[in-house]
Amino acid sequence: MKTTRDFNYYAARKQLLDSKRTNYIPKWDEIAVFTDPRNAYFRVKRSNGNLSQLIPKMDDTAQSMLPIYAAVLNSMLTPQAYVWHKLQFFDPNVQEQYGPMLDEENKFIYNRRYSAYSNFPSAMNECYMSAGAFGHAIMQLDPDYKHKCISYQTLPIREFYIDKDAYGFVNVFYREVEYTMRNLLTIFPGYMPDKYKDRQDLKWLDERITLLHAVEPSFDEAGKYHSAYIDLTNKEIIEESELKYCPYLCFRSSVFPSSDDPYGFSPCMSVLPSIKALNSLQFNFLKQ
């Protein structure tokens, strides 16, 4: 089944995904104020160098505990002290005979995953902190063929609109980011919006546009993903392609049972009343 997607399709799809996270945004902003001020910009656009918006807190207990929470998860789930993953054959007889061959492969994967080029430890720490505060985290995986490893990067969740399939797995990612035309041409050298083609000056290089990266399952072939880069400002599709794998991974701390919500439920959501009460007590103490 050959299908086509135009700009209106992506715009309508993003609007639908936006409606799914509307009720979460005020809660995420409130949680970010007390636990992760770097991300307290879901509703307010952050200006360069300004780190004080939406941060009226008087107590930093929750903020100081979040890195400890992430460190505990890291020590249990992805410890750096030993090889925590293991490749093995399904057949016990084959595993007994050829299993030792995979030990060297396990060590090779471990060394590449924790190499300086992969950025895996830093990405996982940010992943655990985001999941602990907001209930989910988005990680980007890019193959680094030069250094023979995978590059990991945890991205801000405020940039993403996600959805899940019938089995509860997140498989739709719409990422909205802002670029200058100068930086956009670094990524897409051949792209030029019509309104800039006749410009003689170079001031347009510093104009800002909103870029949308849409990744969702392909309608044409099972197991593949369709990727599209859309210029939302100029309403043009920059590039479309088919991918063998999804470049984004969603990590969720807890999931709502039997729910259409693709977003997770975090420990900070459970203890938010206590965090706010402690902040209020500290405020009254300082006021006195």
Side-chain angles (χ1 to χ4, degrees):
M1 179 181 67
K2 272 292 180 184
T3 56
T4 57
R5 299 172 172 89
D6 56 9
F7 177 83
N8 292 330
Y9 166 82
Y10 293 112
R13 185 77 169 120
K14 179 185 173 296
Q15 186 177 6
L16 177 63
L17 296 178
D18 188 15
S19 66
K20 285 196 172 187
R21 79 172 205 174
T22 299
N23 294 329
Y24 282 96
I25 289 179
K27 190 62 63 178
W28 290 342
D29 249 337
E30 197 172 22
I31 290 173
V33 165
F34 300 109
T35 62
D36 193 3
R38 302 170 303 165
N39 289 307
Y41 299 93
F42 291 94
R43 291 173 293 180
V44 177
K45 187 176 180 180
R46 174 184 167 185
S47 59
N48 292 333
N50 189 349
L51 298 176
S52 61
Q53 294 186 57
L54 295 176
I55 310 178
K57 69 176 188 295
M58 300 296 172
D59 182 82
D60 61 353
T61 302
Q63 183 179 346
S64 61
M65 289 295 105
L66 187 60
I68 298 176
Y69 169 84
V72 171
L73 282 185
N74 191 26
S75 64
M76 292 191 302
L77 302 179
T78 52
Q80 196 171 348
Y82 59 89
V83 181
W84 48 268
H85 61 266
K86 185 175 182 180
L87 299 175
Q88 61 182 12
F89 297 101
F90 288 105
D91 191 325
N93 297 325
V94 178
Q95 173 63 25
E96 183 179 358
Q97 184 175 359
Y98 299 103
M101 297 173 54
L102 294 179
D103 292 340
E104 293 299 321
E105 191 69 21
N106 285 323
K107 294 178 182 178
F108 176 81
I109 295 175
Y110 174 83
N111 291 333
R112 293 299 177 181
R113 178 168 288 162
Y114 285 98
S115 68
Y117 303 102
S118 70
N119 193 46
F120 181 77
S122 176
M124 286 307 305
N125 183 67
E126 290 291 336
C127 180
Y128 293 138
M129 289 183 62
S130 178
F134 309 108
H136 73 289
I138 307 294
M139 182 178 289
Q140 183 179 20
L141 292 77
D142 287 323
D144 187 344
Y145 298 106
K146 180 180 179 181
H147 301 102
K148 298 181 180 179
C149 65
I150 296 176
S151 176
Y152 300 85
Q153 184 180 8
T154 299
L155 302 171
I157 63 171
R158 64 177 175 272
E159 298 177 354
F160 282 89
Y161 305 82
I162 63 176
D163 203 1
K164 62 182 183 179
D165 59 16
Y167 302 100
F169 297 102
V170 176
N171 64 344
V172 176
F173 299 85
Y174 275 49
R175 184 191 181 194
E176 183 180 314
V177 291
E178 196 176 67
Y179 283 106
T180 62
M181 282 301 302
R182 188 185 303 275
N183 291 335
L184 187 67
L185 292 179
T186 304
I187 307 173
F188 305 103
Y191 175 64
M192 180 64 67
D194 293 335
K195 69 177 184 179
Y196 297 136
K197 290 181 179 179
D198 298 328
R199 291 277 294 269
Q200 300 299 321
D201 62 280
L202 295 179
K203 293 181 179 179
W204 59 271
L205 288 173
D206 293 317
E207 293 185 12
R208 306 188 72 86
I209 66 101
T210 301
L211 179 70
L212 178 69
H213 184 204
V215 178
E216 55 189 3
S218 175
F219 295 146
D220 302 327
E221 187 174 350
K224 287 191 176 183
Y225 285 83
H226 184 82
S227 170
Y229 289 91
I230 302 101
D231 181 351
L232 294 179
T233 303
N234 298 298
K235 298 183 179 181
E236 295 184 26
I237 297 178
I238 302 175
E239 179 183 276
E240 289 186 287
S241 61
E242 295 292 320
L243 304 176
K244 293 182 179 180
Y245 66 93
C246 183
Y248 300 116
L249 177 67
C250 182
F251 179 91
R252 291 179 290 178
S253 58
S254 182
V255 182
F256 290 102
S258 303
S259 173
D260 188 45
D261 292 337
Y263 301 99
F265 188 84
S266 71
C268 283
M269 291 179 180
S270 301
V271 298
L272 184 59
S274 298
I275 294 174
K276 294 169 67 175
L278 183 61
N279 185 75
S280 179
L281 289 174
Q282 185 71 1
F283 173 78
N284 291 329
F285 173 77
L286 293 174
K287 188 177 180 179
Q288 291 296 327

